[in-house]
């Protein structure tokens, strides 16, 4: 184990107390391992997650002493997490005792008071002005346009100029041209005014080809206090020509540079495309990754292919019954029908194949009829290609007209493909269903429920505005030049619109102060904001595995926000890791939901269904929605990653909760606790009635009996009483109403009370990559949980079946007694006793004082508990 490693003292830690005690008692032979001291210690499982992570990495790398001499960053983070659980204390005699010490981390939502201009409102509908939800940031903008008549210093008379801007410690350069006579850059540079440590700015034109000696062509020196102020909504400041000077300050005979300089804020229209001083270490093509951009998801459609039947197929052999099925291909998605039960040349299917396609329609639908042979081979009986741009679009829930499509048989001669004009026909209904909403998010966390077709959209009800102010106390995510750092940016999604802030380089407390807005069509929607670390700031040399890791995500439901109110809170950024829930920092946001039409808002709540009409008339199954959602997520990842700068696949999948359908014991526990909390009101009502029935409070019992008599004799007061009681409860709850937006609750998510093995199971791949013993243990645990669930289901089925046994004469004595009771009861209720008297007598009997009867099971309960069920038939 320790061969080739220069170690003399080793401490082995484990979470199995039995194994550790056994090893401590046994005498270890150290001659073979050349150790002076080998100590075995027990640590709790929560504090030993580092061992699991290190062992996992060792198996992946297939190395032995891979941690000798250096400790990777992930190992440091895991040890830091362990230290939160494990505290070492020293006794008077110098011995160290291990005690559990859980660090208290604040996962709560904190209200903040940023310096924002929330009172600036314009317009009759109280729509806000731009950038009033973020703090004002002042920048010095410099636009380098072009140069002319530059003095030629190169031997061939052609130079490769570029411009360098220097303000104190900041240096910025434009791109350079290779052997071009015209020099036009048209680049904008933004310098944060709070970080300027100089009084002058020097703009120098240099020649890239002049390596030996001074490559300066000319320069311009500008005093910063002379730069004008130009705030939006003013028009952009016009550029002007400046004559170049030499290094001694004398004006050159030739050479001018067109530029513009002005002070402004982040509301300036050139802010998003400018080079920023907080990303000064980034250069080249990676600058595009640091800029803030808005993205639009492509419009997604459901493509429905209803395969009905085929005619006049020509199988390869007439001596066998063909096993024919239809295969449909769109892009990289392949779907197949079942094998037709008609074993002839005119098979029938009547099956629906559903695809997700995006506009513009570049792909085509390729339908192939295939015959499955006996030796597991397939023979193509014909195919047809349908361009999606020619497919009919169905907006209303009306049946589509089937069409006959000509099949072409594909044959090969001399290695060349040859098409036969006609070889059978296929009857299908192919249409694009625009009446559905294509789900790219989970149903409960959706940010948009509108149908695909714009003609079916409802009226807009308001505007959602989001101000991304800053983040604080972010965790280090990578190493650069031997030190830990984080390059953070935010991504927000609502509806089809995505936004990405600029990347603040090398900062654990990044400041963005960027504001965005979205149109709102339904209040029951979710705004999602995620924080990521940019690992693509050095060209193609991506850090780590080439993916941008997440620092946390915030979800806010609009229906929980008051209209025309600004919410300024600091949200905890939580990430679930193999070692548990970890707080990665805090994100400060400002949110406002402005309602433009209260009538439209009322109609949305009362008249408009949440999902479009097609989802109710032709509903899709849960399995279909899950498959189609995976297709939609894959299409969005591919589409958004082709933008410039790209929105990467891991970012899109994380924002859309791409893997939320996987099994998790932690989520199962959380949902079970939610169910118990939901039914807690019924258990509380039962406890309250038991106290009333047992006369624990005589005054309360007498009052309940009086109210019961009033309800029996005046049944028309039931609904008004319930209504007035509900009004009273709502008035009392008004003072306790939730005043904060929704956020992720660690306790409700059971993220702080989960074992290491449960987290390892949640982070496992699909299919699993764990060893057989681990999988067997998890399978046995799942069987145990499923057994308890099956027992509960069986008990529910047993109770329901007992009601059916009252009438089916399975137990003739019980059914006969029930029949007699029904006859006697109906006669007495009709001729002798009124219903009100019966109810009064029954209620008083149930709530009788304890001295009038013992609290034991009564006759109806004894009668019901003896009813037979179908459990007797179970194997």
């Amino acid at each position: 184990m320790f061969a080739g490693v220069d170690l003399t003292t080793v401490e082995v830690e484990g979470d199995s107390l039995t194994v550790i005690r056994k090893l401590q008692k046994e005498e270890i032979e150290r001659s073979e391992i050349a150790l002076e001291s080998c100590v075995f210690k027990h640590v709790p499982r929560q504090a030993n997650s580092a061992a699991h992570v290190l062992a996992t990495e060792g198996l992946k790398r297939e190395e032995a002493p891979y941690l000798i001499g250096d400790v990777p960053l992930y190992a440091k983070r895991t040890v830091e997490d362990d230290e939160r659980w494990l505290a070492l204390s020293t006794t008077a005699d110098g011995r160290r005792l291990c005690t559990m010490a859980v660090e208290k981390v604040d996962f709560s939502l904190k209200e903040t008071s940023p310096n924002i201009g929330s009172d600036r409102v314009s317009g009759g509908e109280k729509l806000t002005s731009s950038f009033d939800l973020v703090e004002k940031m002042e920048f010095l903008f410099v636009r380098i346009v072009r140069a002319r008549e530059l003095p030629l210093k190169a031997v061939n008379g052609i130079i490769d100029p570029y411009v360098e801007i220097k303000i104190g410690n900041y240096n910025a350069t434009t791109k350079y041209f290779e052997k071009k006579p015209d020099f036009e850059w048209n680049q904008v540079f933004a310098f944060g005014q709070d970080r300027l440590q100089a009084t002058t700015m020097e703009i120098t034109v240099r020649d890239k080809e002049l390596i030996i000696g001074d490559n300066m062509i000319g320069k311009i020196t500008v005093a910063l206090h002379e730069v004008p102020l130009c705030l939006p909504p003013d028009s952009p400041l016009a550029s002007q020509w400046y004559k170049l000077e030499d290094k001694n300050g004398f004006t050159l005979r030739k050479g001018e540079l067109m530029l513009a300089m002005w002070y402004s804020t982040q509301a300036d229209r050139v802010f998003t495309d400018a080079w920023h001083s907080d990303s000064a270490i980034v250069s080249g093509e990676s600058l595009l990754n640091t800029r803030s951009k808005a993205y639009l998801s492509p419009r997604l459609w459901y493509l429905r292919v209803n395969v009905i039947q085929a005619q006049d197929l020509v199988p390869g052999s007439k001596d066998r019954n063909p096993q024919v099925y239809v295969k449909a291909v769109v892009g990289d998605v392949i779907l197949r029908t079942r094998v037709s039960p008609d074993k002839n040349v005119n098979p029938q299917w009547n099956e629906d194949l559903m695809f997700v396609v995006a506009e513009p329609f570049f792909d085509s639908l390729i339908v192939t009829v295939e015959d499955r042979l006996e030796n597991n081979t397939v023979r193509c009986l014909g195919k047809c290609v349908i361009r999606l741009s020619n497919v009919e679009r169905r907006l209303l829930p009306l049946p589509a007209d089937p069409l006959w499509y000509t099949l072409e048989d594909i044959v090969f001669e001399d290695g060349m493909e040859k098409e036969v004009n006609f070889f059978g026909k296929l009857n299908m209904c192919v249409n694009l269903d625009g009446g559905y909403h294509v789900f790219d998010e989970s149903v409960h966390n959706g940010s948009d429920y509108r149908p695909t077709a714009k003609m079916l959209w409802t009226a807009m009800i308001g505007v959602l505005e989001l101000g991304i102010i800053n983040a604080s106390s972010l965790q280090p995510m990578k190493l650069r030049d031997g030190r830990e750092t984080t390059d953070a940016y935010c991504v927000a999604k609502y509806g089809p619109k995505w936004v990405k802030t600029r990347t603040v380089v090398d900062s654990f407390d990044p400041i963005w102060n960027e504001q965005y807005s979205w149109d709102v069509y339904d209040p029951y929607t979710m705004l999602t904001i995620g924080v990521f670390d940019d690992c693509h700031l050095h060209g193609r040399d991506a850090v780590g595995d080439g993916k941008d890791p997440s620092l946390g995500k915030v979800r806010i439901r609009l229906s929980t926000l008051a209209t025309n109110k600004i919410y300024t809170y600091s949200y905890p950024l939580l990430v679930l890791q193999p070692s548990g829930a970890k707080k990665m920092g805090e994100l400060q946001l400002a949110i406002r939901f402005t309602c433009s039409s209260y009538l439209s808002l009322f109609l949305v709540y009362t008249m408009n269904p949440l999902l479009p009409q097609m989802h109710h008339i032709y509903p899709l199954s849960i399995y279909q929605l899950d498959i189609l959602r995976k297709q939609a997520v894959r299409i969005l990842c591919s589409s958004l990653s082709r933008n410039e700068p790209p929105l990467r696949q891991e970012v899109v999948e994380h924002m859309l909760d791409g893997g939320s359908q996987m099994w998790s014991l932690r989520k199962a526990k959380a949902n079970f606790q939610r169910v118990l909390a939901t039914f807690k009101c019924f258990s509380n009502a039962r406890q309250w009635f038991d106290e009333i029935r047992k006369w624990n409070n005589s005054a309360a019992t007498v009052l309940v009996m009086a109210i019961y008599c009033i309800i029996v004799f005046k049944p028309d007061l039931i609904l008004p009483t319930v209504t007035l009681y509900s009004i009273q409860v709502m008035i009392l709850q008004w003072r306790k109403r939730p005043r904060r937006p929704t956020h992720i609750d660690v306790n409700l998510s059971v993220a702080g009370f989960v074992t290491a093995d449960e987290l390892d199971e949640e982070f496992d791949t699909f299919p699993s990559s764990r060893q057989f013993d681990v999988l067997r243990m998890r399978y046995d645990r799942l069987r145990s949980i499923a057994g308890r669930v099956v027992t509960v289901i069986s008990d529910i089925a047993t109770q329901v079946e007992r009601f059916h046994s009252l009438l089916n004469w399975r137990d003739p004595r019980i059914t006969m007694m029930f029949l007699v009771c029904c006859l006697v009861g109906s006669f007495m209720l009709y001729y002798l006793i009124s219903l009100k008297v019966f109810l009064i007598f029954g209620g008083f009997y149930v709530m009788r004082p304890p001295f009038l009867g013992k609290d034991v099971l009564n006759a109806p309960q004894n009668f019901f508990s003896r009813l037979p069920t179908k459990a007797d038939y179970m194997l």
Side-chain angles (χ1 to χ4, degrees):
M1 175 179 179
F2 302 101
V5 183
D6 188 14
L7 297 176
T8 58
T9 303
V10 173
E11 292 186 1
V12 180
E13 296 180 349
D15 55 9
S16 177
L17 185 59
T18 304
V19 175
I20 295 299
R21 287 177 177 176
K22 183 177 180 180
L23 292 173
Q24 288 175 345
K25 291 181 181 180
E26 295 180 356
E27 183 65 25
I28 305 299
E29 179 62 35
R30 299 182 177 87
S31 59
E32 297 181 0
I33 57 178
L35 294 178
E36 297 179 0
S37 175
C38 183
V39 181
F40 298 92
K41 291 185 177 181
H42 172 261
V43 294
R45 177 176 298 179
Q46 292 87 348
N48 199 32
S49 58
H52 173 75
V53 175
L54 298 180
T56 304
E57 288 295 323
L59 294 175
K60 289 181 180 179
R61 302 187 180 197
E62 299 181 354
E63 298 178 0
Y66 67 99
L67 297 178
I68 301 301
D70 186 20
V71 180
L73 182 60
Y74 71 87
K76 293 181 180 179
R77 294 177 186 166
T78 309
V79 173
E80 291 175 359
D81 294 337
D82 286 353
E83 290 177 351
R84 296 178 181 179
W85 288 86
L86 191 62
L88 295 177
S89 59
T90 306
T91 60
D93 55 355
R95 293 180 302 171
R96 295 192 302 174
L97 299 177
C98 294
T99 59
M100 294 296 296
V102 180
E103 180 183 357
K104 187 176 181 179
V105 181
D106 188 8
F107 295 108
S108 62
L109 195 65
K110 302 175 184 176
E111 189 172 5
T112 59
S113 300
N115 184 21
I116 60 177
S118 59
D119 55 343
R120 292 176 290 175
V121 180
S122 62
E125 297 180 349
K126 295 185 179 180
L127 296 180
T128 59
S129 59
S130 300
F131 292 89
D132 62 341
L133 295 183
V134 293
E135 297 177 344
K136 182 180 178 181
M137 298 178 65
E138 295 182 351
F139 292 90
L140 169 62
F141 291 96
V142 181
R143 182 194 295 273
I144 305 297
V145 185
R146 56 193 177 97
R148 68 181 181 185
E149 297 181 357
L150 295 180
L152 304 179
K153 292 186 178 181
V155 179
N156 54 5
I158 299 177
I159 60 178
D160 300 332
Y162 67 95
V163 180
E164 179 185 64
I165 304 174
K166 184 176 182 181
I167 306 177
N169 295 328
Y170 288 113
N171 282 315
T173 59
T174 65
K175 57 186 177 182
Y176 67 92
F177 299 97
E178 295 183 358
K179 307 298 186 295
K180 290 186 177 180
D182 54 336
F183 316 116
E184 183 172 352
W185 297 276
N186 198 22
Q187 290 183 247
V188 181
F189 301 85
F191 300 88
Q193 189 175 0
D194 56 340
R195 296 186 180 183
L196 296 181
Q197 300 178 354
T199 58
T200 61
M201 173 176 57
E202 190 175 282
I203 303 174
T204 308
V205 182
R206 299 183 181 274
D207 185 7
K208 186 177 182 298
E209 293 297 326
L210 295 178
I211 302 177
I212 302 175
D214 189 8
N215 63 348
M216 185 184 75
I217 299 176
K219 69 176 183 177
I220 299 172
T221 304
V222 181
L224 295 182
H225 67 273
E226 297 180 356
V227 177
L229 179 66
C230 182
L231 296 176
D234 294 345
S235 300
L237 192 66
S239 304
Q240 56 181 325
W241 290 102
Y242 290 84
K243 289 186 174 295
L244 297 178
E245 300 174 351
D246 59 12
K247 59 183 178 180
N248 297 322
F250 295 102
T251 303
L252 299 176
R253 294 182 179 180
K254 291 184 178 182
E256 290 180 314
L257 182 64
M258 177 180 283
L259 55 91
M261 300 168 289
W262 70 97
Y263 285 109
S264 186
T265 64
Q266 71 267 35
D268 200 292
R269 65 184 62 180
V270 301
F271 176 79
T272 57
D273 294 327
W275 173 95
H276 291 273
S277 56
D278 52 13
S279 58
I281 65 174
V282 183
S283 60
E285 298 179 356
S286 300
L287 278 174
L288 293 175
N289 296 329
T290 64
R291 294 175 179 173
S292 57
K293 290 292 180 181
Y295 306 84
L296 282 178
S297 300
R299 189 188 303 183
L300 302 178
W301 294 74
Y302 281 151
L303 174 64
R304 184 189 297 269
V305 182
N306 179 236
V307 183
I308 303 175
Q309 61 179 342
Q311 286 186 357
D312 301 330
L313 298 179
V314 180
S317 175
K318 297 182 180 180
D319 299 333
R320 55 179 293 273
N321 294 326
Q323 297 183 1
V324 183
Y325 64 91
V326 176
K327 180 178 72 174
V329 180
V330 177
D332 58 348
V333 180
I334 303 175
L335 298 179
R336 296 178 176 85
T337 66
R338 70 184 190 280
V339 176
S340 174
D342 301 326
K343 309 297 184 181
N344 51 43
V345 295
N346 299 316
Q348 295 182 356
W349 296 275
N350 197 20
E351 283 191 46
D352 281 343
L353 303 178
M354 299 284 291
F355 297 88
V356 177
V357 293
E359 288 186 351
F361 302 121
F362 297 114
D363 296 326
S364 298
L365 171 64
I366 303 175
V367 182
T368 307
V369 180
E370 296 181 348
D371 182 15
R372 182 178 298 171
L373 303 180
E374 297 178 354
N375 54 355
N376 293 329
T377 59
V378 174
R379 183 180 185 275
C380 178
L381 302 182
K383 77 170 185 177
C384 64
V385 179
I386 304 172
R387 296 183 60 86
L388 297 182
S389 57
N390 300 330
V391 174
E392 177 186 0
R393 303 187 181 189
R394 185 174 65 162
L395 306 183
L396 299 177
L398 300 176
D401 296 330
L403 299 176
W404 287 97
Y405 294 89
T406 302
L407 296 176
E408 298 174 350
D409 186 36
I410 307 300
V411 296
F412 294 89
E413 293 183 1
D414 299 331
M416 299 297 292
E417 182 178 310
K418 182 180 179 181
E419 297 183 357
V420 179
N421 294 330
F422 174 78
F423 215 91
K425 285 190 174 183
L426 185 63
N427 191 15
M428 296 185 298
C429 292
V430 182
N431 54 73
L432 293 167
D433 286 335
Y436 287 99
H437 169 72
V438 181
F439 286 98
D440 54 357
E441 304 163 299
S442 62
V443 178
H444 301 291
N445 295 331
S447 61
D448 188 13
Y449 296 101
R450 292 174 295 171
T452 300
K454 287 186 177 181
M455 297 174 57
L456 304 178
W457 290 3
T458 57
M460 185 181 71
I461 63 173
V463 176
L464 171 65
E465 295 168 289
L466 170 67
I468 304 176
I469 301 176
N470 58 42
S472 59
S473 304
L474 296 182
Q475 295 294 320
M477 300 300 294
K478 56 179 175 287
L479 290 175
R480 182 186 294 128
D481 299 331
R483 60 185 182 86
E484 296 178 337
T485 183
T486 298
D487 308 320
Y489 66 91
C490 287
V491 175
K493 181 193 183 298
Y494 183 80
K497 180 180 177 181
W498 303 64
V499 295
K500 173 183 175 294
T501 65
R502 72 185 190 279
T503 301
V504 179
V505 181
D506 195 13
S507 176
F508 298 129
D509 302 294
I511 299 176
W512 292 288
N513 281 318
E514 299 183 22
Q515 183 171 338
Y516 304 94
S517 63
W518 291 268
D519 295 335
V520 179
Y521 293 85
D522 195 302
Y524 188 74
T525 45
M526 190 80 74
L527 170 67
T528 305
I529 307 104
V531 183
F532 300 88
D533 178 55
D534 200 334
C535 296
H536 300 81
L537 299 182
H538 298 282
R540 299 181 179 178
D541 299 331
V543 180
D545 57 357
K547 296 183 179 181
D548 292 352
S550 171
L551 280 83
K553 184 167 57 176
V554 176
R555 288 197 297 258
I556 303 171
R557 189 170 294 279
L558 267 64
S559 59
T560 61
L561 304 178
T563 56
N564 303 323
K565 178 182 177 181
I566 296 179
Y567 293 86
T568 55
Y569 286 90
S570 181
Y571 294 81
L573 296 174
L574 306 179
V575 173
L576 189 63
Q577 298 180 346
S579 57
K582 183 176 181 180
K583 183 178 179 181
M584 306 297 291
E586 294 185 354
L587 179 64
Q588 187 176 1
L589 302 174
I591 306 168
R592 174 172 52 201
F593 173 40
T594 305
C595 182
S596 58
S597 174
Y598 286 97
L599 177 60
S600 299
L601 182 62
F602 175 77
L603 293 177
V604 166
Y605 272 107
T606 56
M607 304 300 295
N608 297 337
L610 180 63
L611 297 178
Q613 189 178 10
M614 288 284 287
H615 286 274
H616 302 279
I617 299 178
Y618 298 108
L620 301 175
S621 64
I622 298 178
Y623 176 76
Q624 282 181 306
L625 289 176
D626 185 41
I627 296 297
L628 293 173
R629 180 171 174 256
K630 292 179 181 179
Q631 295 185 31
V633 171
R634 186 162 56 247
I635 291 175
L636 290 183
C637 291
S638 176
S639 176
L640 295 175
S641 63
R642 291 197 298 265
N643 289 272
E644 195 65 40
L647 206 57
R648 305 193 179 277
Q649 176 180 350
E650 62 273 11
V651 175
V652 177
E653 289 180 349
H654 182 75
M655 295 290 290
L656 298 178
D657 286 335
S660 60
Q661 302 296 329
M662 299 301 297
W663 159 256
S664 169
L665 185 59
R666 175 189 61 84
K667 293 181 181 179
K669 291 180 179 179
N671 292 326
F672 180 72
Q673 292 182 4
R674 290 173 57 197
V675 173
L676 293 181
T678 303
F679 288 99
K680 187 177 180 181
C681 59
F682 298 101
S683 62
N684 293 338
R686 181 178 179 180
Q687 285 183 339
W688 171 81
F689 185 74
D690 286 340
E691 293 178 358
I692 295 296
R693 189 171 57 87
K694 294 177 181 178
W695 290 71
N696 294 342
N697 189 342
S698 301
T701 304
V702 172
L703 179 61
V704 170
M705 295 176 70
I707 296 175
Y708 178 74
C709 292
I710 295 174
I711 291 176
V712 171
F713 287 104
K714 292 289 185 179
D716 53 338
L717 296 178
I718 295 178
L719 289 180
T721 303
V722 173
T723 305
L724 291 175
Y725 177 74
S726 302
I727 294 175
Q728 177 189 359
V729 171
M730 287 185 285
I731 292 175
L732 294 177
Q733 291 293 328
W734 168 257
R735 301 179 60 184
K736 302 178 183 179
R737 69 188 186 277
R739 301 177 186 270
R740 295 184 174 186
T742 56
H743 67 287
I744 298 177
D745 191 342
V746 177
N747 296 327
L748 184 62
S749 305
V750 199
F753 310 98
V754 62
T755 63
D757 182 71
E758 293 173 358
L759 286 173
D760 181 74
E761 181 182 15
E762 186 170 349
F763 282 90
D764 193 7
T765 59
F766 186 84
S768 177
S769 59
R770 299 298 182 260
Q771 296 181 356
F772 173 75
D773 294 339
V774 176
L775 294 180
R776 182 174 60 181
M777 181 270 296
R778 292 175 180 172
Y779 177 68
D780 293 339
R781 180 177 61 194
L782 186 61
R783 289 176 60 193
S784 175
I785 297 173
R788 292 194 290 268
V789 173
V790 170
T791 302
V792 173
I793 295 176
S794 175
D795 292 340
I796 296 175
T798 299
Q799 301 300 327
V800 174
E801 288 170 355
R802 281 174 175 166
F803 284 100
H804 296 280
S805 298
L806 288 171
L807 306 175
N808 61 8
W809 295 88
R810 181 66 273 181
D811 189 338
R813 288 167 294 276
I814 284 184
T815 306
M816 178 60 70
M817 286 187 288
F818 182 67
L819 176 61
V820 173
C821 291
C822 290
L823 289 174
V824 174
S826 60
F827 177 79
M828 294 179 64
L829 289 176
Y830 188 77
Y831 291 103
L832 302 178
I833 305 174
S834 65
L835 180 62
K836 295 180 180 179
V837 175
F838 176 77
L839 293 176
I840 290 294
F841 177 78
F844 277 44
Y845 176 77
V846 172
M847 292 183 286
R848 67 190 184 278
F851 64 85
L852 295 180
K854 296 182 179 180
D855 188 15
V856 295
L857 294 178
N858 50 31
Q861 290 175 314
N862 297 330
F863 186 80
F864 184 78
S865 62
R866 287 179 171 84
L867 288 170
T869 65
K870 292 184 179 180
D872 305 333
Y873 296 88
M874 296 293 292
L875 180 63

